[in-house]
Amino acid sequence: MANEHKLGALDKRWLKFDLIIIDELGYVQFSKIESEPLFQFFAGRYERAASVIDNY
């Protein structure tokens, strides 16, 4: 429960930025459990602010 609260606060803080660039995400392997917070992060930004993922 405490971790969910921290993630919610973190998401709100990141929404203050108009653009977030994620670089070299393809170099890291995530399990399903590990990838869920990342998915929630991008889902929360959807239609609110821009996100770019660069895998080159």
Side-chain angles (χ1 to χ4, degrees):
M1 181 86 135
N3 286 339
E4 290 178 19
H5 177 68
K6 288 180 184 179
L7 286 174
L10 183 63
D11 284 346
K12 288 179 184 177
R13 189 168 63 191
W14 282 100
L15 279 174
K16 294 178 182 177
F17 297 103
D18 294 329
L19 174 65
I20 298 292
I21 301 172
I22 307 295
D23 190 20
E24 298 186 12
L25 186 62
Y27 292 108
V28 180
Q29 262 189 328
F30 294 101
S31 70
K32 184 176 180 177
I33 292 172
E34 293 169 329
S35 64
E36 185 66 26
L38 187 61
F39 174 81
Q40 292 299 325
F41 171 78
F42 286 114
R45 288 186 60 82
Y46 182 70
E47 292 187 1
R48 294 184 186 159
S51 302
V52 175
I53 300 173
D54 179 20
N55 285 324
Y56 289 104

